[in-house]
Amino acid sequence: MKIDVVNFIISQKTEIKKNIYFITGNERTLMDAVKDKVVNDYKSKNNIVVEKIKNLSLFKNDIGLFEEKKIYIINEPVSLEEKDLDRLGDFEDIFIFFYENSPKTNFLKKLLKNHKGSLLFECYELSKDDKVRILNNWVKTTSTNLSDDVYWALIDLLDNRFAFLNKELNKLDKLKIKIIDIDVINKIISKNNIMGEKIFFEILQ
């Protein structure tokens, strides 16, 4: 089943009921954010160990005395069949297939998209609509007031890569300014990252 990545990231409550995740795309920072959220959600609720393995052939179903389950992060694309996914679904362990886009991943995406026991996350640079949803969520959670002009200026200036966008919003949040104007936006969110960081710390002082 394919998941809306932005909704997944901004959601405060994550009900994860599958044990197979396929995280792919070409926006590595968004891929990392999805992976971290999945891992942290499980770790917050379970006695769990994270293990990175090169491919599925290295998986061993060894549960220690004090370990309920493991999260396996698998980084090498391999050929899988539906029967392989069905077999993994019988385990308590969590399997995260974490591959950037390549010709080898096309078949896997199709297979996992249609598999009822799997979740597919395709991570690409953020669209304008994606940034609108993220900014709306940030405004709501931080109780920040933005005029229409400032709001759309932010949409234009915020980075299309999730980690950089998130960093820029965090900088604005740290200012503890409930009403942000265009002047602040232009100073803090600079296309020149070095200058933007310098101005940010000057404002904090």
Side-chain angles (χ1 to χ4, degrees), residues 122-177:
E122 292 190 87
C123 303
Y124 301 102
E125 285 201 3
L126 300 170
S127 66
K128 186 175 182 178
D129 178 65
D130 293 332
K131 293 197 288 184
V132 164
R133 287 189 287 161
I134 292 171
L135 183 56
N136 286 347
N137 181 70
W138 180 81
V139 167
K140 181 180 179 180
T141 56
T142 60
S143 300
T144 301
N145 293 314
L146 299 176
S147 67
D148 285 346
D149 289 346
V150 171
Y151 179 92
W152 291 112
L154 262 176
I155 294 297
D156 289 337
L157 288 171
L158 287 169
D159 204 287
N160 295 333
R161 296 162 296 174
F162 178 76
F164 295 94
L165 176 147
N166 199 44
K167 181 179 179 181
E168 290 161 349
L169 291 179
N170 286 338
K171 285 193 294 185
L172 290 175
D173 191 31
K174 287 179 180 179
L175 293 177
K176 302 301 179 184
I177 301 174

Side-chain angles (χ1 to χ4, degrees), residues 5-53:
V5 173
V6 172
N7 281 348
F8 179 80
I9 287 293
I10 65 178
S11 175
Q12 297 299 313
K13 295 182 179 180
T14 306
E15 292 295 330
I16 301 177
K17 298 181 180 179
K18 309 294 184 182
N19 76 322
I20 302 172
Y21 300 83
F22 184 41
I23 303 171
T24 188
N26 58 20
E27 210 289 78
R28 184 58 184 260
T29 74
L30 186 53
M31 292 173 63
D32 285 333
V34 171
K35 178 192 66 178
D36 291 345
K37 185 165 185 178
V38 172
V39 170
N40 291 336
D41 186 79
Y42 277 109
K43 290 180 74 173
S44 69
K45 300 173 183 175
N46 301 276
N47 180 23
I48 203 161
V49 174
V50 178
E51 182 175 334
K52 294 183 179 181
I53 58 177

